[in-house]
Amino acid sequence: MSLLPLEVHTALADLLQGLSSPDNNTRTSAEEQLNNEWIAARPDVLLMGLVEQIQVAQEPSTRSFAAVLFRRMSTKTRKIPDKDESRELFLLLQIAQKVAIRQKLLECFQSEALPPVRHKIGDAVAEVARQYSDHGENWPELLQVLFHASQSQDPGQREGAFRVFTTTPGIIEKQHEETVLAAFTKGFKDSDVSVRIAAMEAFSSFFASIQKKAQKKYYSLVPEILNILPPLKESGDSDNLTKALIALIELAEEAPMMFKPLFHNLVQFSITVISDKDLGDLTRQNALELMGTFADYASAMCRKDPSYTSDMVTQCLSLMTDVGQDDDDASEWNASEDLDVEESDLNHVAGEQCMDRLANKLGGGVVLPPTFNWLPRMMTSAAWRDRHAALMAISAISEGCRDLMIGELDKVLDLVVPALRDSHPRVRWAGCNALGQMSTDFSGTMQEKYHNVVLTNIIPVLDASEPRIQSHAAAALVNFCEEAVKTTLEPYLDDLLSRLLQLLRSPKRYVQEQALSTIATIADSAETAFGKYYDTLMPLLFNVLREEQSKEYRLLRAKAMECATLIALAVGKQRMGVDAINLVQILGTIQRNITDADDPQSQYLLHCWGRMCRVLGPDFVPYLSGVMPPLMELASAKADIQLLDDDEQIAKVQQEEGWEMVPLKGKVIGIKTSILEDKHMAIELIVIYAQQLEGAFEPYVTEIMEKVSLPSLAFFFHDPVRVASAKSVPVLLNSMKKAHGEGSRMLGKLWEMAVEKVLEVLSAEPAIDTLAEMYQCFYESVEVVGKNSLTREHMAAFIESVKSTLEDYQIRVSKRAEEQQETEEGEEESEEILFAIEDDQTLLSDMNKAFHTIFKNQETSFLPSWARLIPFYDAFITSPDSTQRQWALCIMDDVLEFCGDQSWSYQGHIRQPLIDGMRDEIPANRQAACYGVGIAAQKGGVNWSSFAAESLAMLFAVCRLKQAREDDHVFATENACASIAKILQANSSKVPNVQEVVQHWLNTLPVVNDEEAAPYAYMFLAQLIDQRNPAVFASPETARQCFVAIVLALEAETLQGTTAQRIATAGKQLLQTAGIGINQILVTLSPETQQTVASYFA
């Protein structure tokens, strides 16, 4: 029975007809009517009317459209009167109205006979259920109706129930597991395939929504789930098999170990799907994706399976041969100029991507044997597709197998290099691709050891008859050259550049563009060696830039700008002479003539200006007036955000480039990312200008700080914008300081504006990695402004932010520990968790640097604020987590270093941690503790002197550890050596057997890694030499040992400047006093060390 008058239904029927009209005017008029007369004036009548239309409309299309419109309208939000919050339209209705609407919705869901319409009604039901669930409210009768529907005789009803569960799994989360198990078990065994698939999708959604410890109760369902798959394959039902595989992929991401008892069976089944060419490509690719997901989340289980790796490698290689169908001679491929064609849905791309994953997740030891079982045969195959696949496989696995392949590069290159002369163009292209990828993945080794093999073979390919191969060879050279040093490239530059110049005359524009990019990279790497080619290249580039060209040549001109400015950076201002100013003027002309928003020259220009600023330095200042306005416009841009609640709107926006869709509570938010990326880039360029021009940039500083940098610290739509803004603040402060001086009124005024905002974001920043950047912004800013730049209020606000940050950190650590306990044996720790741990370590490190900087600039005035955090230090310093112990030790070191004898007030929190720290199994913590003891001796005054002397035995123990000189441990050892020197220098009166200690200390030298520890150790040694201390001159061997320790430190450059000269002088005095000839020592040293001796002691 209808609750609304007939005229309302008539009006609504007309409205629905108008909204679905093909005529734009009619539809626009109906949309205005919907917004003004219904949504704004009577939303309750609209929602009730739409539900009744679903009930009574004769046409299925009307019922379906009414259900879609109901779902969209119910999600629209409206502000609650007298409250600062909004709610969805449905939830704002009176209770009686809501009850009536949801009752009618359920009646429609139960009575609708047509599956497509029922699905739309189910979506509307699910949306209302979501709203209730999100706000913690109940819809008591829903669950009963859905469970009843899941047991219905009508398969459409059963499928519909599971579809609702899929969308809103929260409604069954709190049900007793026996009830849920029974419902899903029955669904998995249903006689109707659509119901079985819907049950799988619902289970996947439900499983992901429950807590990890509750998931294990449902592992018993795995056999029933897997039994759904074989009949689908046998019947060739690709569509439903694809849906089933997607549901399995989601389950494997959540709990891969639930499949462990049947994993081998699943591997064998998936391999049969991947290899079955009668099935659809998407189905085969999803089976491959399922197996790849296990490699991502349970690599140990994959490694242990007897056939997983060999079968997967075989299938990946097989898929990779599915390339260039109906284009055997590659004529179509050669003719194509669309190099960015989307191929992600093709079999060969899926195979390549999966090989990359297998290599990265399983490792070279597992993946290389089965891969190289195939590759040599494939490389000698008569079929070009086999050769192409083998080369692409080398490209795919080289990153993940780097550690093992790097020792076998001779053999790999023996396979790859001949492909550059293959009879088939696509194989030659793949050969270029492999060399380019290897140049990146084995960077350093490829350039140092194999430059002759690579360059002498790939440079001739630039003369290929096929433009696509010319272009790809040039692109591979970019990879090689950007990792090469000047001396490596110099012998090849003539041949390389003469051929690239020929490519600039190619009739194909994309070849010219790539040639310019390659020349630019070579200029960047060859640096001053590029000067020889300047007179040939720069006039050509100037001609390209001066020519008036049509729209299709804009990217070419942009590449020419990039190339010219990179050459300018390589050769420098002096070599360019007047060309430097001419180039800047040409860039200005191009900028003034840009009118289209999509002109690629705009983006390139911004970076070109940045390079020319670095080339010209202060001479660039006159051009800022032309450069800054467009830069400021981009940097000040607001986010373009649209709320999309209409499938048509979403589809329209998705067709445009530069948009990101973010689902949120049944709606979709569209964010125009291209604007955000431009804003980020503009702020990064501002940083470059401020860094390069320093005080000369001052006229722009206040406006940028006020309008761009500080507001953008809270630009929560785009993390990189906030990071770039954080980097800009200290640089802008420095510009002001350089212009007006430290302590100037102008700097003080700018700092006053900045410090409040920076402190505010320390408490507001939600992203952990970005929060670390905010702490860096803070301490770098304090460093710039200098001594006593923080008031008591600032320090209190900083401590409050740190307290909040540490509390959040402790919650994250606790949560990770809980998740770790729930992780099953063989299940990989997710990359997400590993990244989160790394982000937290970076955060603690940057927070430490902030404490260090504040103590350095505020000294004892910071102690009262700092002391509020002592409970955290005490907890961290005894934590089983080594990162936490290190964090606390480093801060204690700062208290000792900058607060002098006042640090003794906190000795109860410092002494024992230093003692424990010197015995810590983690080298970084031993280093921090050893350093702290030395600082206590040096700066702590008389109160710390006894403790320092008592610590000598532990410091010597650090130096005598078996692994003391290994890479990970040597910094702790060298800090212990330096600290012993500090104690002997500052507290010798507390050391009962000084001379004996000095003798032992000499054996802790040399210090050849730590540039901070070395000066203390060697200045003490110089003092001993000056005093002719008997320990140094006890025997010629001891004196020789001390001299060699000096030479090794000079060679390692841990001693610099006047300190190095002072120690060298002491070394000469040592030889003279001991009566040792330098030639006696030289013969015992390496040729490199002999050169150091000659330079300092000639």
Side-chain angles (χ1 to χ4, degrees):
M1 186 186 82
S2 174
L3 299 177
L4 298 173
L6 180 62
E7 59 268 22
V8 170
H9 277 296
T10 304
L12 258 179
D14 292 342
L15 177 68
L16 291 172
Q17 193 174 354
L19 288 169
S20 55
S21 169
D23 180 69
N24 279 340
N25 293 333
T26 305
R27 200 165 59 252
T28 303
S29 173
E31 284 167 0
E32 287 175 8
Q33 189 185 354
L34 172 67
N35 290 323
N36 300 329
E37 296 179 21
W38 296 92
I39 298 172
R42 40 183 183 168
D44 51 344
V45 177
L46 172 66
L47 293 179
M48 178 63 79
L50 288 171
V51 173
E52 292 196 349
Q53 282 291 314
I54 300 169
Q55 257 186 327
V56 302
Q58 295 298 309
E59 285 295 322
S61 59
T62 305
R63 298 198 301 278
S64 183
F65 185 42
V68 170
L69 194 59
F70 174 87
R71 182 177 61 79
R72 277 172 39 201
M73 294 303 106
S74 68
T75 64
K76 285 193 175 293
T77 52
R78 181 176 286 182
K79 203 169 178 196
I80 302 172
D82 305 322
K83 285 191 180 178
D84 191 23
E85 60 175 298
S86 297
R87 280 280 181 96
E88 289 93 341
L89 275 185
F90 176 80
L91 291 179
L92 288 173
L93 300 179
Q94 300 295 321
I95 291 175
Q97 293 171 324
K98 286 190 284 193
V99 169
I101 287 174
R102 69 194 195 199
Q103 186 179 337
K104 284 180 178 290
L105 259 184
L106 291 179
E107 287 170 6
C108 295
F109 177 73
Q110 290 171 298
S111 62
E112 179 58 59
L114 295 175
V117 181
R118 191 190 305 108
H119 292 339
K120 294 288 189 291
I121 299 169
D123 293 342
V125 169
E127 173 53 37
V128 172
R130 180 199 65 76
Q131 292 182 28
Y132 275 121
S133 179
D134 285 355
H135 292 282
E137 297 180 30
N138 288 324
W139 184 355
E141 63 273 24
L142 173 63
L143 207 54
Q144 187 182 346
V145 168
L146 291 178
F147 271 115
H148 179 74
S150 71
Q151 313 295 319
S152 168
Q153 293 299 307
D154 178 359
Q157 285 284 324
R158 301 197 298 273
E159 181 192 1
F162 283 116
R163 282 174 60 93
V164 176
F165 288 145
T166 302
T167 311
T168 50
I171 59 180
I172 49 173
E173 274 178 34
K174 292 172 185 162
Q175 299 307 302
H176 194 275
E177 59 261 22
E178 293 304 324
T179 310
V180 179
L181 277 165
F184 279 121
T185 302
K186 191 168 183 185
F188 296 150
K189 293 177 174 177
D190 200 282
S191 58
D192 188 282
V193 66
S194 297
V195 179
R196 295 197 297 274
I197 297 300
M200 277 188 81
E201 291 171 335
F203 179 72
S204 169
S205 179
F206 162 73
F207 191 83
S209 73
I210 59 178
Q211 292 185 338
K212 212 162 181 65
K213 56 188 171 191
Q215 289 177 345
K216 291 181 183 176
K217 297 169 185 171
Y218 298 94
Y219 282 16
S220 60
L221 290 173
V222 169
E224 303 295 348
I225 294 170
L226 297 185
N227 284 338
I228 296 170
L229 303 175
L232 297 174
K233 180 184 180 298
E234 286 159 18
S235 63
D237 187 350
S238 286
D239 288 347
N240 279 318
L241 184 52
T242 296
K243 291 176 185 175
L245 288 167
I246 290 170
L248 281 180
I249 290 165
E250 291 167 357
L251 289 171
E253 287 174 351
E254 275 295 320
M257 301 311 293
M258 73 190 287
F259 295 94
K260 186 177 179 181
L262 294 168
F263 183 61
H264 186 60
N265 304 52
L266 183 55
V267 171
Q268 291 179 309
F269 174 78
S270 299
I271 294 298
T272 65
V273 174
I274 300 165
S275 60
D276 190 341
K277 294 182 180 178
D278 291 332
L279 292 168
D281 285 349
L282 187 57
T283 307
R284 297 170 67 200
Q285 288 170 27
N286 275 310
L288 187 76
E289 175 62 29
L290 174 62
M291 290 293 100
T293 301
F294 282 109
D296 288 342
Y297 292 92
S299 58
M301 186 164 74
C302 297
R303 287 190 203 100
K304 288 175 186 172
D305 187 83
S307 64
Y308 176 90
T309 308
S310 58
D311 284 350
M312 281 293 286
V313 166
T314 302
Q315 292 309 318
C316 285
L317 291 171
S318 176
L319 287 171
M320 288 164 68
T321 62
D322 188 2
V323 62
Q325 301 305 324
D326 306 322
D327 186 29
D328 205 53
D329 62 355
S331 54
E332 189 180 314
W333 176 85
N334 266 322
S336 172
E337 294 193 18
D338 186 3
L339 307 189
D340 298 322
V341 63
E342 179 58 53
E343 291 190 333
S344 60
D345 59 342
L346 299 182
N347 283 340
H348 71 93
V349 176
E352 288 164 29
Q353 290 172 346
C354 193
M355 282 293 282
D356 175 56
R357 285 163 77 182
L358 294 176
N360 276 297
K361 294 298 179 179
L362 305 185
V366 176
V367 171
L368 283 177
T371 305
F372 275 84
N373 182 42
W374 283 105
L375 293 195
R377 284 181 279 167
M378 293 174 76
M379 282 306 301
T380 55
S381 167
W384 72 263
R385 291 179 178 87
D386 290 348
R387 303 195 300 277
H388 181 276
L391 290 162
M392 296 307 288
I394 290 170
S395 300
I397 66 171
S398 59
E399 181 190 8
C401 300
R402 184 182 194 281
D403 292 345
L404 287 177
M405 284 177 72
I406 203 161
E408 305 287 338
L409 284 181
D410 300 81
K411 294 174 187 172
V412 180
L413 287 167
D414 285 345
L415 283 176
V416 174
V417 167
L420 298 176
R421 298 181 290 276
D422 197 278
S423 59
H424 198 282
R426 293 200 72 164
V427 177
R428 276 178 276 139
W429 184 96
C432 294
N433 195 77
L435 280 183
Q437 192 62 51
M438 288 169 69
S439 296
T440 299
D441 293 335
F442 307 114
S443 62
T445 304
M446 282 283 281
Q447 286 76 5
E448 288 162 25
K449 285 190 178 180
Y450 300 101
H451 55 85
N452 191 49
V453 175
V454 174
L455 293 176
T456 56
N457 282 286
I458 202 166
I459 289 173
V461 183
L462 295 171
D463 295 336
S465 57
E466 302 89 351
R468 287 195 71 167
I469 294 173
Q470 291 177 323
S471 172
H472 210 50
L477 281 163
V478 167
N479 290 36
F480 185 90
C481 294
E482 66 188 359
E483 301 292 344
V485 295
K486 179 172 76 169
T487 49
T488 300
L489 291 178
E490 224 165 336
Y492 306 96
L493 288 177
D494 284 350
D495 194 15
L496 189 49
L497 288 164
S498 64
R499 296 185 200 237
L500 286 167
L501 282 169
Q502 288 300 316
L503 294 191
L504 291 177
R505 299 184 178 92
S506 167
K508 298 291 184 184
R509 198 167 64 251
Y510 69 83
V511 176
Q512 296 175 347
E513 289 165 3
Q514 182 58 62
L516 285 170
S517 291
T518 307
I519 292 167
T521 304
I522 294 167
D524 199 28
S525 295
E527 298 172 336
T528 51
F530 202 85
K532 176 182 172 186
Y533 309 95
Y534 179 87
D535 291 332
T536 305
L537 269 165
M538 204 53 121
L540 287 174
L541 296 171
F542 271 45
N543 286 340
V544 173
L545 295 175
R546 284 186 172 124
E547 280 176 18
E548 280 298 321
Q549 290 174 334
S550 55
K551 206 168 183 179
E552 62 268 25
Y553 284 93
R554 293 188 307 195
L555 181 58
L556 182 69
R557 189 151 67 160
K559 297 270 186 183
M561 284 191 279
E562 176 185 54
C563 189
T565 51
L566 278 167
I567 290 172
L569 261 183
V571 302
K573 180 169 70 171
Q574 197 169 351
R575 175 69 180 82
M576 287 191 79
V578 71
D579 280 354
I581 301 302
N582 290 340
L583 181 53
V584 169
Q585 289 172 345
I586 290 170
L587 295 177
T589 303
I590 292 170
Q591 179 167 291
R592 286 189 293 276
N593 290 329
I594 289 174
T595 53
D596 295 343
D598 64 347
D599 191 330
Q601 294 177 112
S602 301
Q603 290 269 351
Y604 279 80
L605 256 173
L606 292 171
H607 290 290
C608 291
W609 286 126
R611 290 187 203 108
M612 291 314 295
C613 175
R614 287 158 65 191
V615 171
L616 292 172
D619 293 343
F620 187 76
V621 172
Y623 303 98
L624 281 174
S625 58
V627 171
M628 289 305 295
L631 195 62
M632 282 296 287
E633 189 178 338
L634 286 176
S636 309
K638 302 283 188 285
D640 185 353
I641 295 172
Q642 294 185 21
L643 182 63
L644 310 169
D645 54 6
D646 180 326
D647 293 342
E648 207 174 296
Q649 280 181 305
I650 294 168
K652 186 180 175 186
V653 170
Q654 279 176 330
Q655 286 171 1
E656 296 178 31
E657 278 187 30
W659 283 85
E660 183 183 339
M661 303 295 143
V662 181
L664 181 70
K665 291 188 177 180
K667 305 181 185 70
V668 173
I669 292 176
I671 302 173
K672 187 148 193 184
T673 51
S674 55
I675 290 177
L676 310 185
E677 286 154 10
D678 288 350
K679 182 181 179 78
H680 168 232
M681 179 185 63
I683 298 171
E684 283 193 322
L685 286 166
I686 284 169
V687 172
I688 289 173
Y689 292 139
Q691 283 172 333
Q692 295 294 319
L693 302 176
E694 293 190 315
F697 195 65
E698 185 271 342
Y700 302 93
V701 164
T702 303
E703 184 188 5
I704 293 169
M705 189 74 91
E706 196 174 340
K707 294 184 178 175
V708 176
S709 296
L710 297 180
S712 297
L713 289 174
F715 191 82
F716 295 116
F717 303 105
H718 199 55
D719 293 0
V721 166
R722 301 200 300 286
V723 171
S725 303
K727 291 192 183 305
S728 72
V729 172
V731 177
L732 293 170
L733 286 164
N734 186 57
S735 289
M736 188 66 81
K737 177 179 169 180
K738 293 287 183 182
H740 297 283
E742 190 172 341
S744 64
R745 187 180 62 82
M746 294 296 287
L747 178 61
K749 193 175 174 185
L750 190 68
W751 175 232
E752 194 180 321
M753 180 200 304
V755 66
E756 301 291 342
K757 187 66 181 176
V758 175
L759 284 167
E760 184 185 309
V761 296
L762 292 182
S763 296
E765 174 55 54
I768 307 306
D769 55 343
T770 310
L771 180 56
E773 298 281 355
M774 297 302 167
Y775 275 99
Q776 186 178 337
C777 166
F778 177 73
Y779 72 72
E780 287 182 354
S781 299
V782 171
E783 193 70 68
V784 169
V785 182
K787 288 280 184 189
N788 300 313
S789 52
L790 297 171
T791 65
R792 191 179 300 151
E793 289 74 25
H794 292 152
M795 290 185 279
F798 173 78
I799 291 296
E800 201 54 46
S801 297
V802 171
K803 183 171 176 289
S804 166
T805 301
L806 291 176
E807 286 167 351
D808 291 344
Y809 167 76
Q810 288 175 320
I811 291 167
R812 290 194 299 277
V813 169
S814 174
K815 191 175 175 187
R816 283 199 292 266
E818 284 175 24
E819 287 174 1
Q820 188 68 35
Q821 286 178 341
E822 290 171 10
T823 302
E824 296 180 61
E825 187 184 347
E827 191 174 344
E828 296 291 297
E829 197 159 30
S830 74
E831 279 191 358
E832 194 178 331
I833 288 177
L834 295 174
F835 285 137
I837 292 169
E838 192 179 321
D839 286 345
D840 273 332
Q841 289 172 342
T842 306
L843 173 62
L844 291 179
S845 172
D846 280 311
M847 201 187 295
N848 255 346
K849 289 171 187 168
F851 276 103
H852 176 84
T853 306
I854 299 173
F855 270 122
K856 178 183 167 186
N857 285 283
Q858 300 294 139
E859 297 177 342
T860 54
S861 69
F862 183 45
L863 280 173
S865 299
W866 170 83
R868 289 175 52 205
L869 295 179
I870 280 179
F872 285 102
Y873 311 135
D874 290 344
F876 277 43
I877 217 152
T878 55
S879 167
D881 181 350
S882 63
T883 303
Q884 294 184 31
R885 297 198 301 276
Q886 185 186 7
W887 181 83
L889 279 167
C890 288
I891 291 176
M892 296 309 180
D893 288 352
D894 289 329
V895 174
L896 290 164
E897 185 168 358
F898 298 111
C899 299
D901 56 4
Q902 288 195 37
S903 61
W904 184 253
S905 305
Y906 303 96
Q907 57 89 18
H909 303 279
I910 299 176
R911 280 172 58 105
Q912 193 58 44
L914 290 180
I915 293 168
D916 295 340
M918 286 186 282
R919 297 171 179 147
D920 201 304
E921 62 183 16
I922 304 298
N925 294 354
R926 288 203 304 278
Q927 178 185 345
C930 291
Y931 176 81
V933 172
I935 286 294
Q938 191 183 23
K939 301 193 175 183
V942 68
N943 287 327
W944 284 102
S945 58
S946 296
F947 168 77
E950 290 160 10
S951 299
L952 283 168
M954 285 176 282
L955 291 168
F956 276 113
V958 170
C959 296
R960 290 178 187 134
L961 287 170
K962 186 173 67 176
Q963 69 274 36
R965 292 287 167 184
E966 291 177 9
D967 287 351
D968 289 343
H969 298 264
V970 72
F971 282 90
T973 306
E974 293 185 348
N975 269 269
C977 167
S979 290
I980 295 168
K982 290 173 187 175
I983 293 167
L984 290 170
Q985 221 169 8
N987 295 89
S988 58
S989 62
K990 296 284 185 179
V991 180
N993 49 346
V994 174
Q995 206 53 35
E996 186 185 336
V997 173
V998 170
Q999 283 176 344
H1000 289 304
W1001 175 76
L1002 293 175
N1003 294 322
T1004 67
L1005 294 168
V1007 178
V1008 291
N1009 293 277
D1010 195 316
E1011 293 175 12
E1012 288 185 32
Y1016 292 108
Y1018 284 96
M1019 288 302 278
F1020 180 59
L1021 178 60
Q1023 183 182 319
L1024 295 175
I1025 294 167
D1026 289 347
Q1027 295 167 351
R1028 302 196 175 197
N1029 189 289
V1032 177
F1033 297 96
S1035 69
E1037 182 53 41
T1038 307
R1040 224 186 330 264
Q1041 176 190 328
C1042 292
F1043 181 76
V1044 170
I1046 289 172
V1047 170
L1048 292 173
L1050 292 169
E1051 182 186 28
E1053 297 181 350
T1054 51
L1055 300 172
Q1056 300 276 334
T1058 55
T1059 305
Q1061 293 301 329
R1062 165 76 181 91
I1063 304 306
T1065 303
K1068 290 175 188 174
Q1069 185 184 338
L1070 170 62
L1071 292 178
Q1072 191 176 350
T1073 306
I1076 299 170
I1078 198 163
N1079 290 332
Q1080 292 174 259
I1081 297 176
L1082 277 177
V1083 294
T1084 66
L1085 304 175
S1086 70
E1088 293 82 6
T1089 310
Q1090 287 180 26
Q1091 286 183 348
T1092 304
V1093 174
S1095 65
Y1096 278 100
F1097 302 99

